Structure formats: structure tokens, C-alpha cells
Amino acid sequence: MPRQDPPHRAKKSLGQNFLTDPNICRKIVDALAPSADDYIIEIGPGQGALTEHLVETGARRLRALEMDYDLADRLAERWPGLDVVRTDALKFPWDELNDTGPCKIIGNLPYNVGSKLIWDIVSKVETLSRAVFMVQHEVALRLTAEPGTKAYGGLTAWVKNYCDTRYLFKVPPTVFRPRPKVDSAVVRFDPFPLTDRPVDRERLSGLVKLLFQQRRKQISTILRKRMKPEIEEWFQKEGVSPSLRPENLTPTQFRSLSLIY
Ligand code: SAM
């Protein structure tokens, strides 16, 4: 007789809000445009709401990173062909994917780790051909914000140096169990060709963090101790006043300024 597993009790600490609407799940998976030849990685498959649709695409190389060992065991039992990795996605060596050819990454991300994961993935996975993530609605707005707006922040400036981001659609709490307190939204990430991505991650991340830690101050005030003719010339050449705030610099300007600050 097949084993009868007791029903799973959602763990709040792991951000477990499971999708219950198959139409939304299909829409999210479709946004990845998966094909049988793709190497696809799902973060936080949970009870397999998205995984089911990924399996249906016939994808032959499907890997799922799940931190809840109980759920991971159930997934491995249900789909023996699925490569289930029992791990914390925050500790996953994302740059090792650069040895395996093009990949796509998808996930209904746990809210508490979504931004950090996206920060790492877009910058470390050089072989990423597309990613689709569901995140808190407010984070989706940040990921897709334009310079000069309230939602534009360090995460925006960083991610938009690596990818084109597109806000796809909003998802209400009613399609989850248990229901989260906030709206969610799905964002698509289309990475730039490698030659158009930042050459110096460390310098860029240093500048983004330095400026956005004090986002209400003028850029010239934050950079006062670092001011030198090269930086003054940079502002002139870009036609940017140093008395503006960090949110007024475009992602590309962050990149070029990071090379000289
Ligand atoms: N994909 C499923 C769905 O849409 O119904 C579950 C999504 S739920 C919001 C997040 C999932 O990520 C849970 O299954 C949770 O156990 C898992 N998770 C939480 N933190 C994680 C981490 N750091 N690394 C890997 N998985 C994690």
C-alpha cells in the first residue's frame, strides 16, 4: 500500500505560503518560456505547485532547492526524475552554475530572503538566460522602478546593471494557503549579454551600498571625502549635479562612477 503522509503544517519561519491556484502557477511557469532542453532550477518548490507545471513541460534537467527536508523527501518521492537538493538557497554556490551552460531559474520566493537571493543570482550566474520570481509586491516595485522615483533603491540600481526587469502581474493573498498579509507580484529578469554586465562587482556593490545607506543626503555630501578632479569631471560629463540624491543616478551611472570613486 502507498505510504500516507500526514498533511504538511506550513512553517512560518520558512515563508511557507503555498500557491493553490493552478492557473496562476501556469502563468508564472509560462513566463519562464521553458522548453524540454532547458536546464531549470526552482528555488523553494514547497509542495510542488510550480514544479508540477515545470515537469509537464518535459524539461529533462530540473533541479529543485528546498530547505525543508520533509517537503524535499515528498517531492523526491513524487518525481523520482527531479534533482532535489536539500539546501539553504542563500548558501548555494551560485557561481558554480557557470560551468554547466545556460540555465533558467524560477521560484515563489520566501519573503524574508527574496531580495538577497535576487541580488546574488543576477550578479553571480553568468549563464542565466532568464529568471522569473514571485516576491512581495513592494519588492517587485523596487526591482522594476525608474530612477528618481520613491521605489528606486540600491536593489534596483544593482539588479538593473545585470538584467532588464519586467513587472508581470500582481497576485492577491487569496490564492495562497496560508494567506500572506501582503500582495505579491511576479517579475521577469532578462540578463544583458555578458559584455554589457559590470566588470567590477565589488566596486559597484560598494558604491551602491555607500550611497543608498544615506539616500536622503546629496551625493556630494556622501562623497565629500572622496572628491577628486576625476569625479568632478565625471559629474560634468554626465550632466549630473552632485547636489542630487542617490536615487537620481541611473544604473549605468552607478556603474561608471563606481570605477573611479
Ligand atoms: N513553490 C511553492 C509554491 O509556490 O507553493 C512554495 C513557495 S513558499 C513561498 C517558499 C518555499 O521556499 C517553501 O517551500 C520553503 O520551505 C522554501 N524555503 C524557504 N527558505 C528557503 C531557503 N533559504 N532555501 C531554500 N528553500 C527555502
Side-chain angles (χ1 to χ4, degrees):
M1 253 194 16
R3 199 180 88 202
Q4 277 288 320
D5 285 320
H8 177 77
R9 283 175 69 103
K11 298 184 182 77
K12 215 172 165 186
S13 61
L14 289 180
Q16 292 184 347
N17 299 100
F18 300 110
L19 277 166
T20 55
D21 182 333
N23 293 323
I24 301 243
C25 293
R26 178 170 299 283
K27 238 173 117 179
I28 298 172
V29 169
D30 283 352
L32 195 67
S35 78
D37 292 328
D38 284 334
Y39 176 32
I40 302 176
I41 295 148
E42 184 185 356
I43 301 174
Q47 296 179 309
L50 298 177
T51 325
E52 187 171 342
H53 296 274
L54 290 167
V55 169
E56 270 172 22
T57 65
R60 285 185 288 275
R61 291 184 303 153
L62 198 50
R63 184 175 242 211
L65 312 182
E66 178 55 67
M67 199 173 161
D68 184 323
Y69 286 18
D70 171 39
L71 289 179
D73 289 347
R74 294 178 194 220
L75 290 163
E77 199 171 312
R78 181 165 168 200
W79 292 295
L82 180 68
D83 176 15
V84 182
V85 185
R86 293 153 179 82
T87 187
D88 176 352
L90 285 174
K91 296 190 183 139
F92 188 76
W94 291 107
D95 34 13
E96 284 181 12
L97 289 176
N98 296 335
D99 304 327
T100 56
C103 65
K104 292 181 174 176
I105 307 183
I106 189 168
N108 167 13
L109 299 181
Y111 291 151
N112 51 344
V113 296
S115 302
K116 170 82 174 79
L117 273 173
I118 291 171
W119 179 286
D120 284 352
I121 288 170
V122 297
S123 58
K124 290 186 178 169
V125 187
E126 295 178 350
T127 48
L128 185 68
S129 64
R130 175 169 281 185
V132 172
F133 294 124
M134 177 141 72
V135 290
Q136 236 174 298
H137 180 248
E138 183 217 316
V139 175
L141 293 181
R142 270 198 265 142
L143 285 163
T144 53
E146 293 301 325
T149 62
K150 218 175 117 203
Y152 184 84
L155 182 65
T156 331
W158 176 257
V159 170
K160 285 194 172 201
N161 260 294
Y162 293 91
C163 302
D164 206 24
T165 58
R166 178 161 303 194
Y167 181 106
L168 295 184
F169 52 92
K170 196 168 177 173
V171 181
T174 46
V175 301
F176 297 87
R177 198 164 300 127
R179 289 183 185 182
K181 290 201 174 67
V182 292
D183 284 322
S184 306
V186 179
V187 179
R188 193 180 78 199
F189 302 77
D190 290 304
F192 300 136
L194 261 186
T195 47
D196 287 348
R197 295 189 212 171
V199 284
D200 194 329
R201 285 183 77 225
E202 301 308 321
R203 292 187 74 88
L204 178 60
S205 99
L207 181 67
V208 167
K209 287 176 185 166
L210 175 72
L211 292 192
F212 277 106
Q213 266 158 14
Q214 308 173 71
R215 66 176 292 155
R216 292 185 187 284
K217 289 194 182 157
Q218 297 182 352
I219 303 168
S220 55
T221 310
I222 307 172
L223 293 183
R224 194 170 39 218
K225 286 194 189 132
R226 296 169 188 262
M227 269 304 175
K228 49 185 176 181
E230 218 181 335
I231 296 186
E232 278 160 15
E233 276 163 30
W234 181 90
F235 280 105
Q236 269 177 12
K237 190 173 72 57
E238 291 290 324
V240 172
S241 161
S243 63
L244 289 175
R245 321 261 170 214
E247 74 220 32
N248 296 109
L249 295 185
T250 65
T252 315
Q253 286 171 334
F254 267 96
R255 192 191 306 193
S256 60
L257 182 58
S258 76
L259 297 175
I260 54 166
Y261 85 105

